[in-house]
Amino acid sequence: MSRAPTIHRSKAEHVAQQLLERILEAKLEAGSTFATEAELLSQFNVSRPTLRESLKLLESQGVIELRPGPGGGIIVREPSTDLLAHGLSVFLRLNKVPFVTVIKAREVIEPALAYEAAVNGSEEDFAELEASIARMKALDLQANQEAFLEENRVFHGVIARASGNKVLEVFWDTISILAHGEHHGIRYSVGNQAHVVKAHQRILDACRKRDGDAAAAAMESHVSSLENLVRDRYQHLLKHPTSVVERPGRSIA
């Protein structure tokens, strides 16, 4: 019988894990003050540099924020999907994963979300989807590309939330950040945008009928249109490396 591989952690990593467990056990909400550096030094048998390395590890994971000066301290945060997307984009870039592979991942995730939204979504969720479609229809699609893209994200975000599947919702949120066509220079014509409006309406109609299969099929057809657009007009992106997205609060030079 083979043994599970032993995970070797540094002292700082071990302390960081203990600090995380304390935060979880205390059920501290985002914005709460955790402890002072002096208090932690008195509780852990480690040097100040080791403790600070531990805290920096948790800060890099989005678990805490280290605020200097009066009123500062160690503040509990809620990790964001932006941070997760940054880390994943770095991994994909280093492993030379092309942009089209990210799109294909989205094509797997979003139909599953649409199915769950049709089954589990509330009437309030569907009203939000309808309002999003109405706002998109009211746009000057030629002049308001950014507003169109933002409203498109709103619609898909509501679908993800309405699914009731938090894991898939986080996956979608992360993948959607990586799959933004505008990061790669993709532009949507008025015809493309009008097609999106109709696709959103078909997805909503299926959700309101509680027809999960129809909702999934409509979403699959909809999200595959981005890959078709890339293949038709942006073939150079098929093997283009996935872009590294900005880390929250920082910029990529």
Side-chain angles (χ1 to χ4, degrees):
M1 182 176 179
S2 60
R3 293 183 178 181
T6 302
I7 298 175
H8 297 284
R9 291 192 179 95
S10 68
K11 185 69 172 178
E13 290 172 325
H14 180 70
V15 172
Q17 181 63 36
Q18 289 182 298
L19 293 173
L20 175 59
E21 289 172 0
R22 285 196 181 189
I23 291 171
L24 295 174
E25 289 172 0
K27 298 180 180 179
L28 296 176
E29 296 183 355
S32 302
T33 300
F34 175 42
T36 66
E37 187 179 280
E39 289 171 342
L40 295 177
L41 282 172
S42 68
Q43 296 167 19
F44 291 88
N45 185 29
V46 294
S47 65
R48 188 180 299 272
T50 297
L51 176 63
R52 288 183 175 176
E53 184 180 349
S54 302
L55 294 173
K56 283 292 185 182
L57 283 171
L58 293 179
E59 186 176 39
S60 70
Q61 295 166 0
V63 175
I64 62 171
E65 178 184 356
L66 304 176
R67 294 181 187 172
I74 305 169
I75 311 300
V76 176
R77 290 180 56 193
E78 182 177 353
S80 70
T81 50
D82 287 341
L83 190 62
L84 183 60
H86 169 75
L88 180 57
S89 71
V90 171
F91 175 86
L92 296 178
R93 185 61 177 268
L94 290 175
N95 285 277
K96 300 180 175 60
V97 176
F99 173 58
V100 72
T101 305
V102 177
I103 295 176
K104 286 185 176 297
R106 181 184 173 190
E107 291 171 5
V108 173
I109 293 171
E110 293 223 56
L113 285 168
Y115 181 97
E116 297 292 342
V119 174
N120 301 319
S122 67
E123 289 303 320
E124 288 77 13
D125 294 325
F126 300 156
E128 283 190 60
L129 294 173
E130 185 173 24
S132 174
I133 293 171
R135 289 192 298 269
M136 192 173 273
K137 287 180 177 178
L139 290 172
D140 180 341
L141 297 181
Q142 189 166 10
N144 292 316
Q145 176 102 185
E146 291 304 319
F148 165 81
L149 293 171
E150 179 57 33
E151 197 58 60
N152 187 48
R153 285 191 285 270
V154 168
F155 182 92
H156 286 264
V158 175
I159 288 287
R161 190 187 71 233
S163 74
N165 188 319
K166 192 63 180 177
V167 175
L168 279 182
E169 181 184 354
V170 171
F171 285 169
W172 169 82
D173 202 5
T174 304
I175 290 296
S176 70
I177 294 171
L178 301 183
H180 283 177
E182 56 269 34
H183 289 326
H184 295 264
I186 294 176
R187 304 293 292 177
Y188 299 84
S189 68
V190 171
N192 293 140
Q193 295 175 58
H195 179 77
V196 168
V197 174
K198 292 178 181 179
H200 284 190
Q201 188 64 58
R202 286 194 294 271
I203 294 165
L204 174 58
D205 290 344
C207 285
R208 282 207 155 122
K209 293 176 183 177
R210 300 293 179 179
D211 189 336
D213 290 331
M219 180 64 83
E220 182 178 5
S221 175
H222 174 40
V223 295
S224 65
S225 64
L226 175 57
E227 181 181 349
N228 293 334
L229 176 63
V230 171
R231 292 188 181 279
D232 289 343
R233 290 165 42 193
Y234 300 91
Q235 289 191 12
H236 66 285
L237 293 179
L238 291 176
K239 296 183 179 180
H240 192 278
T242 301
S243 293
V244 175
V245 300
E246 293 186 3
R247 184 175 175 180
R250 311 198 179 190
S251 60
I252 304 295

